[in-house]
Amino acid sequence: MSDDPLGYDDLLRIENLNVEFRTTEGVFRAVRDVSISIRSGETLGIVGESGSGKSVTALSIMNLIPNPPGEVTGEIFFNGLDLLKLPVKEVQKVRGNEISMIFQEPMTSLNPIHTCGKQIMEPLLLHKGYTKKAAKARALELLKMVGIPLPEQRFKEYPHQLSGGMRQRIMIAMALACRPKLLLADEPTTALDVTIQAQILELMKDLRKEIDSAIIMITHDLGIISEMCDRVVVMYAGQVVESSPLKDLLREPLHPYTEGLLKSIPTITREKQRLHTIEGTVPSPFDMPPGCSFQPRCQYSTAICSEKIPDLIHLPDERAVRCWRQAKDLSKQGQ
Amino acid sequence: MKMLLRIMKNNFLFSIGIIVCTLWIVIAIIAPLITPYSYLGQDLANRFQAPSSAHWFGTDSIGRDVFSRVLIGSRISLIAGLATITLASFIGMIYGGIAGYVGGLTDEIMMRVSEMVMAFPGIILAMTIAAALGPSLYNTLLAMVIIWWPNYARVMRSMVIANKENEYVEAAKSLGASHFRIFFHEIMPNSIGPVLVLATLDFGNAILLFSGLSFLGLGSPPPTPEWGAMVADGVLNFNYWWIGAFPGLAILTMAVGTNFIGDSLRDFLDPRLRKEL
Amino acid sequence: MDDNVLVQVQNLKMYFQTEGSYSFTKKYIKAVDDVSFELFKGETFGLVGESGCGKSTLGRTMLGLYKPNAGRVIFEGEDIFALKNKSMKEMRKKMQLIFQDPSASLNPRKTIADILNEPFHIHKVGTKLERKAKINDLLDKVGLSAYHLSRYPHEMSGGQKQRVGIARALALNPKLIICDEPVSALDVSIQAQVINLLEDLQKEYDLTYLFISHNLSVVHHICDRVGVMYLGKLVETGNHEDIYRNTLHPYAKALISAIPHTDPDNSIERILLKGDVPSPANPPTGCRFHTRCLQATDLCAQVEPPLKEVFAGHFAACHQV
Amino acid sequence: MGLLKYTARRLLFLVFLVIGVSLVVFFISHSVPSDPVLANLSQRNIDNQEMVEAFKSKWGLDKPLHTQYFIYVGNLVKGDMGNSIRTQRPVMEDLKKYFPATLELAIFSIIIAIFFGMLFGIISAIKRNSATDQVIRGISVLGVSVPSFWLGLMVLLVFYVKLGIAPGPGRISPYMMPPVAVTNFYVIDALLAGNWSLAWDALQHLFLPGLVLGSFTMGLITRTTRSSLLEVMSMDFIRTARAKGLTEKMIIMQHALGNALIPVVTVIGIGFGNLLGGMVLVETIFAWPGIGQYAYKAAGNLDFPAIIGVSILISINYVVINLIVDILYGILDPRVRYK
Amino acid sequence: VDTKQPASDGSKQLIMALDPDYETFDPGLAYEVYGLLVLHPVYDTLMQFEENLDAPKYGVAESHEVSKDGLSYTFKLRKGIVFAGGDALTAQDVKWSVERSINLKGNGAFLTDGITSIETPDANTVVFKLKEQDASFLTKLTYNAFGVIDSKLAMANGATNAADAATSDKAKLWFDTHSAGSGPYVIESYTPKVEVVLARNKTYWGKAPYYDKVILKSIPDPGTQLMMLQKGDIDIAFNLGPEHVKQLQDKPGIQIKKAQSMTLTFLLMNRDPKIGGPIANPDVQKAIRLVLDYQGIQTIAGEGSVTPVAPFQVGFLGTLPPRDPKTAQNIEKAKELMKKAGYEKGFKTTLEVATLAVEGMNLPTLAQKIQNDLLQIGIETEIKTSDIMVALDPYRKGQQALSLWYWGPDYPDPNTQLAFLPGNSVGLRANWTAEMNPKLAELGKKASVETDKATRIKYLQEIQAMMDEDSAFDVLLQHARHYATRDNIVGTDYIDLYKINLKDVSAK
Ligand SMILES: Nc1ncnc2c1ncn2[C@@H]1O[C@H](COP(=O)(O)OP(=O)(O)OP(=O)(O)O)[C@@H](O)[C@H]1O
Ligand SMILES: Nc1ncnc2c1ncn2[C@@H]1O[C@H](COP(=O)(O)OP(=O)(O)OP(=O)(O)O)[C@@H](O)[C@H]1O
Ligand SMILES: [Mg+2]
Ligand SMILES: [Mg+2]
C-alpha cells in the first residue's frame, strides 16, 4: 500500500467506479468514473446535490447496489482486496465488521419488529463470535457510549418507541459494534432537528477520537462538512468535480460549482444581501450534456466545455478538479 | 397501448391473461355466429354423446351441444362479472368516499354498517334472497352486489383518508374550493386507482361467485346456458364427465385470464414492485 | 389598531384530539397553545422551531383551515373565524399558502395549466382569455415558460414545482402568503433561486410573508422579524437583529448555536441541549423547556413564564430574563 | 389503545352485529312472498285450519313482527336460538352438531393453505422472475380461479373413482362408526378414544375436500406472501441488515419474514372467512355434514330460525377471526402492540 | 372390486346410501317420504304391508273385526310381545301411542282424523271408533302414526298423550336418538345429515333379521352414491337417476333394481282465465296433452317410467293401462284444437317449476323438454324456477298458470288420488271447480265412500276415462325407481311405502 501512486497510505481506494441503472426509461449512469481514496483515521466528506451519486458510491463500497437494476464496474480496494471482485461470502465478512454504514433514514433503517438490543447484538454474534451474554454486555456499553440514557431499558425497546435522534444513535452504536476500520455515514443527520443534529454531530466528533476509524461523511450540507471533515469530495451529476482539503476548498474553491454552492448558502455570519444563485437545474441523467455536465449552468463556460468532458486534474496540495478552466490555467502556468 | 405491449413483452403470465381474456371477449361477441348448433336445440336421440368431431364437447342430458352452450355461456358470465363489479365498485366508492371524507362519527357508523354486511355470510344472503324473491339473473346480481360493495368501500375510504391529508387538498381548501370540488376534483381522481385495480382483480372472483351461485340453482332459469348451472348438470350426470368438465374449464380459464391480468397489473401499479416488470 | 398591522393573532389555541370521538378519555395534542403576535404589512415574519412544535399548525389555523379551540385571528380588522361562508371565501383570496413539499402540494393528475386555472375557476374570476393572460403573466413572474403548462407535476424538477406552487399562491393577488418551509425540500443550489424569487415578488406585490422554517440561516437571511416556537408556545419574538445578536431565551440560544456553518475560522461555542423534544400530547409543567434547559430552576418547573417585552419589540418567555 | 380495550370494543361490536344480522334476516323473512307454514306443513294439513293455527302458535308466527323479534332476542340472550322449523330441533343443538364438522374441515384446509401458500410464496419471492416464480404464480392464480365445486367434482372423479387412491365423500368411511363425541372433531375424538385407524381414516377423508376448499386461500396466501416479502426486501432496514454482513438466508428468515407475515395474517383471516362461506359448495360435493349444507337446506325451506342461527354463527365467527388476526398483529408487530 | 371392509367386530352390517328427507324419528311426528324406511323396522304397527301394497297384513294384531256399520274396528293383539326395552306390549300402549299422535298434531296426524275414540276392553284388545266409513282405514294403520310405543319408557323420557301434547310433549329429541318400539331393530344412533344406525333388537318376537346392524348413510348426491357403490363402500345406492343406472350396466358385482314408483309428475294448467289466460281454455289444455312427446319425456325419466292417462297410478286398484308413448302424440289434432280455441298463432306464458329432482329426474330438465314441445303449437314459455318451498305457496293457492309438479300418494290407496278431481284440493289448485265438470265431481264423491271392490273399480275407471277428455292436469310420468345394490344382497325389493323393508334384507 505504500507504493500508492499518490503517495497516500490508503485504507480504501476507489478507482474508476461506474454504476449504471437499467430502468424502464432506459439505462443511466448514476456514478461516472469516480476515484476516491481515504486514509486510516481520516474523515472524508462527500457533498453534492440530491441525486449526484453520493449514496450510490457509498453503497457500492458496501457492495449493496441491487443487481438488477444496478451494474457496478471499477475497482474498490480495501486492505488490498478488491471488494467488487470478492465472493459474496467474503464480502459479508467485511460488511458490518471492518466497514460499516449509517444510513440517512433512522426511521426506516431499523427493523421495526426486533428490539434495539437484538439489532445491536447481531453483528457481534455474527462477526466476532460473542456469546449472547458478552454481546449484551458490549451492546449496553455501546448504548452508553452513544449517550443513550437508561441503556438497560432501551435495550429491550423497539425502534418505534424511540425518537429519531435516539434511533440514529442506535444506528451508530450498531455500526460501531465491531470497531470498524471504515465508517460510512450517509447523511446521518439530515432527517433530524437542528438541536438533535448538533447532538449527533458532537457525538460523532467525540467518537472519532475514541475509535480511530476512518469516516466517509456524506451530506449536502457544507456546514456539516466544514465542522467534521479533513478532506472534501464534491460530486455533481455522478462525477467527482473537485477534491480538496477542507480549508483550501472553503477559502478557494476551484470548481465553479463549488464556488456557486459556497456563495449561494445563506449564513448568519454573513450580512443580509441578495443570494448568489446558480441558474438552471441539474441535468437529467438521461439527458446529459455532451461536455462538462455543469457547463449549462456555468458562468465561465467556453466552447470546449460543451464539447469534451474534462478530466480530473490533480493539482498540488492534494487537490484535484474536473474543469477546463483549471486545465487552461495549468497549461498557462506550464508555459 | 405501448405500455401494454411493453408489459406483455416482459411478463409471460400477463400476456397469457390478455390473450385469454381477449379470446373470451371475442367469443362472447361473435358466439351466435360460430356455434355449430343452436344452444337450445334438443336432440333426445343423441343425448349423452361423448366428445366427437360432431360435438366437440359432447352433448348433455337432453341432447344439446355442450360446445355451443359453453360459447354462448361466456356472454352471461362476462356480463354478470362486469355488472357486479361495476355496480359494487360504484356503490362502494361513493359510500367509502363519503365515510372517509366526512370522517368522525359518520365514518364510524358507516364503517360499522359495512363491516356488518361483510360479516354477514354472503352465500347465505344470496340463497335467502333467491329463495325469497325467486332465482333470476337480477336477483343473483343483486345479492352479489350486496355481498361485494363493502370491499370497495373499505379500500376507497382508506385511500380518501390518505389523500385528504395531501397538501394539494389543503391548497385547494386554502383557495376556497367547496367540499364538492375538493372531493370530486382533488381526492376522487387520486383515490380510484387502487379501487380500479381491486375491481380488475375481483372480476375473476365475481365470475367464480356467480358460477357458484348458479351451480346452486340461484341463477337465471333454464335453458339459459350458465356455466355454473351446466356444471351442476354435470354433477347430476356424473359419469358423463364432459357435461360438467367443459363449462368448468371455461369458468377456470376466464377467471385465470382476468386474474393473471389483475395480478400483474397490481404488481405493476405498486411502485415498489414496479421495477421488476 | 395600528394601521401597519395586517394580521393580529390573539391567544390562539389549536388542539388536536388524539383518541376516537366515542372514547371516554379524551386526549389532546396542544399543537398551538395560546399564541399571540402580529404581522405588519409588507414584512417577513420568520417562525422557527423544531419539528412538531406547531409551526405549520399555527400557519394553517391563521388561514382558517382549522377551527381553533380558542383565540382570534384578525385580518385587516376582521375576525376570520366570525366570517360567514361567503365572506370567508372572499377572505381566502387575500391569504395564500406555499408548501414544503412541492410534489405533494400539486395534484399529480392535473396539468400545470389546470392547477393554475383552479384559483380563477373557484372564484369565477375573469374570462378565459383574461385568465390565460394572467397565467402567462404569472409564469413569467416565477420564471417558467408557457410550454410548461401542458406538463404534469412529475415531469418537472423540484424547483420548478415550487415555482408553480408560488404562482398558484399569487394568482388571486393575496396580501399574505404563509410559506411553510418553502425551500427545505430543495437542493442548495435551487434553494437560493427560490429565496431570491420570493424576495423579488415581495417587493413587487407588497406581500407580507409568514415564513416557516427550521433552517435558521435561511430565516436569518430573509426575515425582518422572527418568532421562536417551542412545543406550541411562542418563546421569543423580536426583530432579526434582536434574535440573532441579542438572543434572550435559552432555547433560541441553543438553536442558533447549533447551526453548522461553513466559516472555518468562526467557531461559536455550541450549546448542546439534553435529550429530545417532549411530546406535545404530554408537555412538561411550568416552562415547557425546563426539562432540556441548562439554566432551569425550581420555579421553571412550576410556573409558566409569560411572554414579556424585555426590550422594545423584543419579547421572551423566560423566568431568567 | 390497549388490547383489552380493543377486545372490549370488538365484543361490543359483536352485540351490534348480532342484532343487525338477526334484524336483517327477520326483515327478509317477512318480506318474502312465501310462508313457512306452507313450506313446512304437509299438503293435507294445510287444508286443515286447526292444524295451521296450531303450527302458527307453536312457532309464534301469529304474533306481530316486532313481538316475534323481541321474543327471539330475549331467548337469544339466554342462549336459546329457538327451534328449527324444518328439523324441529333447537337451532343451538343443530349448530353444535354441524359446526364442528365444518370447523374441522376449515381448520385442516387453512393449515394446508398456510403451509403451502407461505412456502410457495417465499420460494417465488426469492427466485423472483425465474421460471420457478412464474410457475408458482401460475399455480397461485389457478388456485384462486378454479371453481371449487368443479374442482371437487374433478378430484373425486380422478382420485377416488378412477385412481382409487383417495377415500370417498363423507367424514369417515361408511363402514366406520363415528367416535364418541367429545370435541366433534373426528380426528381428535378418534385419537382421544385411542382408535388410530379411525383417526387415520378421518384424516384421509379431510384431504380432498381440504385441498379443494383451501385452493383459493392458498393462492391468496402465496400471492400475498410473495408480494409482501418482495416489498419488505426493498425496505431500508433490509439494506441495514445487509450492511451488517448478514447472509441472504439470515436476512430472509430473521428480518424479512417476520415483517412480511403481517399482511399475510390479514389474508389468512380473510381466507378463513371465505372458507366458511365457500363451504356450501364443497360440502355439497363431498357430502360433508356441516353448516353449509344445513344453511343451504334452511334457506331453501325458509327455515328462518335456522337461517338466523347460521348467519349469527358465521358473523360471530367473522368477528372472532378478525379479533384473532388483530391479536396476532399485535404479536407480530410491536408497533401495534404499544399504540 | 370389493373394497368394503367388514365391521371390526365381525358382525354383519348393511350400509345403504340414500338422500333422506327425515328429520325426526318420533313416530308421532315423522311424516317424511323416508320416515317409514327407518320407523317400520323399529315400531310395529297393527297392520303392515308385505311385498306389495295390495292389502295390508297383520302386524302386532292377530285378528280384527269390523262392525256392521263400518264405524268400529276391534283388534286382537298377538300375545307375548315385549318391547326392546323389556316392557310387555299391551293394548294400553297402542291406545296411548295413537292418542299421542292425534294430540301432537304432527304432519301425519291427518291419518287419525276419522277416529273418535279408542277403547281397551282388555290388555289384548283395542277398539277404534270412527266418525264415518273409511275404506282405507286398515291401510292407514300401517303408518308410523300408529306405531306402537313403549309408553312407560316414553313417558319416562318426557312424552305425553295429553290433549296439549303439541306443546307439552318433551320427548322429540329423545326419540331422535332412541327408540321405544318392538320391531326387529332399535335406533342405536342418529347423526343428522350423516347416518342412522339401527341395531338388532335381540328380543324381537318375529323372525330375526339377517343383519346385526343397518347403517343408513346420508349421501344427497346421486353421483356420489354411484361412486361409492362402484367402489364397494356401500351395499345399496338408493337414489340413482336413470342415467346413473345406465352407467352401472355390465359393471361386475352390482345388480340394478328397477321398480314402479308411485310418484307422478304432472303438468298443472289453470282453469281460471284471470290466472291462466289462454291456458285456461279446455281446448288449449287438451291440445297441450296431445302435443307433448311422451316418448321423449319417458326417455328423460328413464326406462321403466310410464304415462298414466289420468292421475291414478299403475299398481292401484282399477287403474287403466297407461298411454302408448308412440301414438299418444298428435300434433295435427293439437293444432286444430288451438285453432278452435282461437290461438292458431300461439301465445306466450310462463312455465313454473321447482328446482328439485323427482326420482332422480331433474324437474327443470323436464321443463326444458316441455318448453321445446309446446313450441310446436306456438306456445312460447319462459321457465321460472324457484325453490320448492317458494313454489309451493302459489301452487297451493292456485295462482300458477302452467306449472310442473309431482305427487306422491298420502297412503297407498286410489282414494288419495281423488284429490285431483274438480272441486277437490288439488283440482282447486288449478281452479278447477266442481261446477266446471259436475258429473266428474259427483262420480268422485261416490267412489270415495264405495266399499264394494267391483263398483269401486267401475267408478274409478269411468273417472279416468273422463279425465282423459277433460282435465286441468296432464300426467306426464309415473316414475320408475332406480337403485342398485351389490349383487350379493337380496331382499331389497321396492315397496313404495317402506322403500325397502329393511328387516327382509340379507346377503348371499
Ligand atoms: N436502485 C436504484 N435503481 C435505479 N436508480 C437508482 C437506484 N438507486 C439510486 N438510483 C439513482 O441513482 C442516482 C444517484 O442516486 P444517489 O442516491 O446516489 O444520490 P445522492 O447523491 O445520494 O442523493 P441524495 O442527496 O438525494 O441522497 C439517482 O438519480 C437515483 O435515482
Ligand atoms: N391534523 C392533525 N391531527 C392530529 N395531530 C396533528 C395534526 N396536525 C398536526 N398535528 C400534531 O400537532 C403537532 C404540531 O404539528 P405541526 O405540523 O404544526 O408541527 P411543525 O412545527 O410544522 O413541524 P414540522 O417542522 O415537522 O413541519 C405535532 O405533534 C403533530 O403531530
Ligand atoms: Mg443519498
Ligand atoms: Mg410543518
Side-chain angles (χ1 to χ4, degrees), chain C residues 56 100 180-181:
Chain C
S56 303
Q100 164 171 13
D180 193 350
E181 317 210 15

Side-chain angles (χ1 to χ4, degrees), chain A residues 15-57:
Chain A
E15 275 175 16
N16 297 322
L17 181 73
N18 278 290
V19 183
E20 286 183 350
F21 286 105
R22 272 170 237 285
T23 66
T24 36
E25 285 88 25
V27 178
F28 76 87
R29 294 171 70 188
V31 167
R32 300 187 285 164
D33 288 325
V34 164
S35 301
I36 294 173
S37 50
I38 179 169
R39 279 168 281 192
S40 310
E42 183 186 36
T43 304
L44 174 75
I46 303 182
V47 273
E49 244 153 288
S50 178
S52 58
K54 307 183 296 290
S55 299
V56 169
T57 306

Side-chain angles (χ1 to χ4, degrees), chain B residues 35-37 46 49-59 65-68:
Chain B
T35 50
Y37 299 87
N46 280 316
Q49 296 291 305
S52 65
S53 57
H55 296 280
W56 289 0
F57 292 177
T59 63
D65 182 44
V66 175
F67 181 64
S68 306

